[in-house]
Amino acid sequence: MKQRIAIYPGTFDPITKGHMDIIRRALSVCDKLIIAVADDIPKTPIFAADKRAEMVQTDLEHMGLGKQAVMAMPFSGLLVDFAKEQGATILIRGLRAVSDFEYEFQLANMNLRLSPDIQTVFLPASDTHQFLASSMVKEIARLGGDVSEFVSKNVAEELKTYYRD
Ligand code: ADP
């Protein structure tokens, strides 16, 4: 049977436990998952794309996920073009409460128009991660708070270093 390749795109600035939960669960709807870390984005991230992808890769390794099944890589340009290049037919997105719905619905429809062969699969955020967002984690870290509940040890260290320097 043909291998089902899925892309989980996002900014991942930085990756949180909410993202990790989606990654773990996405593996049950595909054979191979590529975490596509967006480089060319309207918002200004605190970490460069290569650094964000490296942090994702480190977390994947700590989760015990092998490189054959899941990998992280930076990408720029149109997501559907990147998906085609990678042979992917599924886009994974996470949905938190109602706040994500309108944007995600618009994005999924736009991607469907651009490429009818690629389907978006939404995974609902689990209740413990419903209110977890990278932007909030950054704000807590900036103010010197403890973010260890929300991100991995490695990411917490990276945030500490970023806001200290
Ligand atoms: P983007 O800037 O593309 O929204 P993010 O890195 O913020 O990138 O998020 C990537 C995807 O992961 C989005 O679909 C987002 O809704 C989802 N996501 C983010 N945080 C969580 C979370 N806590 N639980 C579930 N899904 C999440």
Side-chain angles (χ1 to χ4, degrees), residues 14-159:
I15 180 168
T16 68
K17 290 188 179 175
H19 294 127
M20 288 193 238
D21 181 46
I22 295 290
I23 292 170
R24 221 177 274 118
R25 287 159 52 213
L27 285 169
S28 58
V29 299
C30 65
D31 304 304
K32 183 179 163 186
L33 182 66
I34 299 169
I35 322 295
V37 179
D39 191 0
D40 199 359
I41 39 173
K43 37 187 177 181
T44 312
I46 61 168
F47 296 111
D50 285 343
K51 181 75 187 170
R52 282 179 274 132
E54 185 191 298
M55 287 192 279
V56 173
Q57 196 63 50
T58 303
D59 278 10
L60 293 177
E61 276 153 35
H62 283 142
M63 281 160 82
L65 298 172
K67 270 197 177 152
Q68 281 92 333
V70 202
M71 59 167 82
M73 52 172 98
F75 87 102
S76 52
L78 264 185
L79 176 63
V80 288
D81 291 342
F82 177 74
K84 274 181 209 155
E85 268 168 42
Q86 299 298 326
T89 52
I90 303 168
L91 295 178
I92 301 284
R93 294 289 286 178
L95 270 188
R96 283 161 299 190
V98 272
S99 54
D100 285 333
F101 185 79
E102 193 158 343
Y103 172 69
E104 293 292 339
F105 197 65
Q106 243 176 359
L107 189 66
N109 273 288
M110 200 46 80
N111 283 329
L112 187 63
R113 281 204 188 184
L114 293 172
S115 182
D117 302 333
I118 300 177
Q119 302 305 324
T120 298
V121 172
F122 290 116
L123 295 175
S126 46
D127 52 0
T128 42
H129 302 119
Q130 204 59 246
F131 300 102
L132 178 50
S134 299
S135 54
M136 233 174 286
V137 170
K138 282 182 280 190
E139 192 55 10
I140 296 169
R142 189 177 72 82
L143 299 170
D146 178 16
V147 293
S148 57
E149 197 187 323
F150 313 118
V151 296
S152 68
K153 239 187 205 155
N154 178 56
V155 171
E157 280 303 315
E158 292 286 358
L159 283 167

